[in-house]
Amino acid sequence: MKRNIIFIFILTFTLVSCNTKAQEQFTIQIEPFSINNAPKIQSYSIGKTSDGKWLILGGRIDGLHKRRPFEAFLKKENNTSVFVIDPIANKTWEANLSVLPTSIFEQLQSTNQEFQQRGNTLYVIGGYGYSDAKGNHITYPNLTAINVDELSNAIIEASNISKYFRQITDSNLAVTGGQLGLLNDTFYLCGGQYFEGRYNPMGPNHGPGFTQEYTNEIRKFKINDDGINLSITNYSAEKDLQNLHRRDYNMVPQIFPDATYGFTMFSGVFQYNADIPWLNSVDITESSFKVNNEFNQYLSQYHSAKVPIYNTQTNEMITVFFGGLSQYQFNEDGKLVRDNDVPFVKTISMVIRHKDGAMVEKDLGIKMPAFLGSGAEFISTSNKAIYLKNEIVNFNSLKQERTLIGYIYGGIESTEENIFFRNNGTQSSASNLAFKVYITKKYN
């Protein structure tokens, strides 16, 4: 991730006020808890078993990547294991992935994969990392299908895991840092990039050099899967060189004002002429995508834990973002401060989409306990009664009491806001911290 020299100033405006009924309907609380032997891991992929355990693989076991090419994204800092975590029983089990065929083993130790679970199958696409087979850092052109329940049971029982993985190759899936959504049996591979070679902040023509190509696309396809055979069908792509040129961002399931389901691609990195984030958003439905230039997201610009909440009575879509990285944050005087270095932040914010489609952003005034959230995931509970489709929290199903809606796990923990230019590996680390996320409903 290339960064600019730090540039800070105080803006003369504040965010649009969110003192609305939607904001006052609930409060969010996070409560830390520890999980025995849980791995320190960031930018991973996750599936969930039918009884609520977490299946975790991919990602990295170090913190923010270093600047110098020979130190960045080292093979030894890949996650080469697959873990099962039971957050209720407070147990962790582990199996080494090296028993798998080389092509599967290599892809599943990559970082920033795209993933999505359909039924009992976790689909993992792409990812970036060092390949022994290629002798280079590559973006993997693979789709791997994983049988979640059976693999988890095999890991717990310490039995053979090999038969629970299947893989195909497709160059259209060579993407890292994008997001993968699922809507009515169609998969949406949105944004991201193809990166080959060693990371180098000085650019592709310095030192070892590299190839970097943003997809600038929303790629749609079906995955035909009978439990044995895998294939990609009905592939299509929509390109927008300006508005889809983003990676390492948050894409969140949404219900739009007309009751249509879809996704919103929120702020992401990087712009063409400067290493700063895009602030606008892109709404995706089955029929099309629409760029929203009427809204700027200031308080969350990088992949982090987030949770969508929908109120059916008020027709308001609320998305809460936890920590991560941001170009903007409020100072003690309530002024919005811009830092083009896009530092780690403790901010917990939300974006509300009102029934008229207007979107506003709010700093919730509560913070992460440290510089956490980047490369973390929000993991829903096994209580299906409180969710709508695509694991959107159904606000109206909640009782007027404190309700556990999910967990935040892993990611990067940084000791300071800005560490990139002097990062030697000691200023940040992968985290195994976990938080319970509660919502307390006040009224409908």
Side-chain angles (χ1 to χ4, degrees):
M1 169 175 37
K2 202 165 84 172
R3 296 293 187 84
N4 279 6
I5 296 174
I6 188 168
F7 178 54
I8 303 176
F9 67 94
I10 296 178
L11 299 178
T12 58
F13 59 88
T14 59
L15 297 184
V16 176
S17 171
C18 267
N19 292 320
T20 66
K21 185 178 179 182
Q23 176 205 340
E24 296 167 353
Q25 287 170 0
F26 65 87
T27 58
I28 292 283
Q29 295 172 295
I30 59 172
E31 180 180 288
F33 73 109
S34 60
I35 301 173
N36 289 332
N37 301 314
K40 294 185 175 183
I41 192 168
Q42 53 109 341
S43 303
Y44 57 87
S45 295
I46 181 168
K48 291 190 303 180
T49 67
S50 56
D51 60 356
K53 296 183 183 71
W54 310 341
L55 181 74
I56 291 177
L57 49 78
R60 298 189 59 77
I61 60 174
D62 59 342
L64 178 66
H65 64 81
K66 303 179 189 74
R67 273 187 94 236
R68 297 189 292 183
F70 62 89
E71 294 181 314
F73 297 99
L74 296 180
K75 173 184 171 182
K76 69 178 183 179
E77 291 161 343
N78 294 352
N79 170 36
T80 58
S81 293
V82 55
F83 300 89
V84 175
I85 293 177
D86 187 333
I88 306 301
N90 193 12
K91 292 183 178 180
T92 302
W93 299 265
E94 177 182 359
N96 195 292
L97 291 171
S98 62
V99 300
L100 300 176
T102 298
S103 62
I104 299 177
F105 173 51
E106 288 198 343
Q107 185 206 1
L108 294 186
Q109 61 180 294
S110 66
T111 190
N112 294 98
Q113 305 156 352
E114 296 83 20
F115 63 93
Q116 184 65 233
Q117 185 167 342
R118 180 175 63 182
N120 185 45
T121 304
L122 176 66
Y123 296 102
V124 177
I125 286 174
Y128 170 78
Y130 183 77
S131 165
D132 278 319
K134 298 293 185 181
N136 197 6
H137 286 74
I138 67 169
T139 298
Y140 289 90
N142 302 113
L143 163 67
T144 297
I146 301 167
N147 189 316
V148 174
D149 279 352
E150 284 75 4
L151 173 60
S152 298
N153 290 334
I155 294 169
I156 291 171
E157 296 168 0
S159 59
N160 192 325
I161 65 172
S162 299
K163 60 184 176 180
Y164 304 116
F165 299 84
R166 293 166 295 133
Q167 187 183 79
I168 60 173
T169 298
D170 188 318
S171 60
N172 291 317
L173 306 182
V175 179
T176 185
Q179 292 282 316
L180 185 64
L182 176 62
L183 185 60
N184 295 332
D185 213 34
T186 295
F187 289 83
Y188 293 71
L189 178 56
C190 303
Q193 64 176 331
Y194 174 85
F195 199 103
E196 181 176 329
R198 282 191 176 274
Y199 166 83
N200 187 342
M202 300 305 294
N205 299 318
H206 292 77
F210 59 83
T211 299
Q212 181 182 34
E213 297 176 358
Y214 284 70
T215 72
N216 301 312
E217 288 183 342
I218 296 171
R219 299 176 178 180
K220 299 167 62 174
F221 51 88
K222 292 183 179 294
I223 298 177
N224 286 352
D225 185 357
D226 61 6
I228 299 173
N229 302 297
L230 277 175
S231 63
I232 299 294
T233 62
N234 297 85
Y235 177 87
S236 65
E238 295 180 274
K239 185 180 288 288
D240 185 323
L241 295 177
Q242 185 75 7
N243 296 290
L244 301 180
H245 184 87
R246 61 189 75 196
R247 59 175 172 86
D248 301 325
Y249 67 99
N250 288 313
M251 185 172 82
V252 189
Q254 303 278 285
I255 300 174
F256 295 105
D258 64 356
T260 300
Y261 277 80
F263 310 95
T264 292
M265 299 172 68
F266 285 93
S267 177
V269 295
F270 283 112
Q271 294 187 26
Y272 283 100
N273 298 322
D275 292 329
I276 56 176
W278 304 98
L279 300 180
N280 64 353
S281 60
V282 180
D283 296 329
I284 302 169
T285 62
E286 284 187 288
S287 60
S288 63
F289 73 92
K290 182 179 180 181
V291 181
N292 185 355
N293 290 320
E294 303 300 315
F295 167 72
N296 286 332
Q297 185 184 19
Y298 292 104
L299 300 178
S300 180
Q301 273 107 29
Y302 210 80
H303 173 215
S304 65
K306 62 272 183 184
V307 57
I309 304 166
Y310 182 67
N311 187 325
T312 59
Q313 292 186 7
T314 62
N315 193 9
E316 289 177 313
M317 185 73 229
I318 300 161
T319 308
V320 181
F321 301 87
F322 299 89
L325 294 152
S326 181
Q327 188 184 9
Y328 297 85
Q329 57 185 308
F330 284 107
N331 66 11
E332 293 180 356
D333 297 325
K335 300 296 184 181
L336 197 62
V337 177
R338 184 171 86 177
D339 180 347
N340 283 357
D341 224 28
V342 194
F344 291 98
V345 297
K346 300 178 182 179
T347 308
I348 299 177
S349 63
M350 74 175 177
V351 172
I352 301 174
R353 189 194 313 269
H354 294 291
K355 62 183 179 181
D356 62 359
M359 294 170 66
V360 291
E361 188 178 34
K362 172 72 177 180
D363 184 336
L364 290 182
I366 56 175
K367 295 185 180 298
M368 301 294 286
F371 294 113
L372 294 161
S374 178
E377 295 292 337
F378 174 84
I379 308 165
S380 60
T381 71
S382 57
N383 180 9
K384 294 181 171 51
I386 65 172
Y387 301 100
L388 299 164
K389 188 165 66 174
N390 281 355
E391 297 188 328
I392 297 172
V393 175
N394 180 0
F395 181 79
N396 305 96
S397 73
L398 303 177
K399 297 179 181 179
Q400 288 185 232
E401 59 188 35
R402 193 170 87 141
T403 303
L404 178 68
I405 59 172
Y407 308 89
I408 297 169
Y409 174 71
I412 297 173
E413 180 175 4
S414 181
T415 58
E416 301 174 51
E417 292 176 300
N418 284 301
I419 64 171
F420 182 67
F421 289 104
R422 53 188 178 81
N423 181 21
N424 62 12
T426 64
Q427 291 87 358
S428 69
S429 62
S431 173
N432 63 356
L433 295 176
F435 298 88
K436 297 177 181 179
V437 181
Y438 292 95
I439 185 169
T440 301
K441 180 178 177 179
K442 296 181 178 179
Y443 52 82
N444 289 326

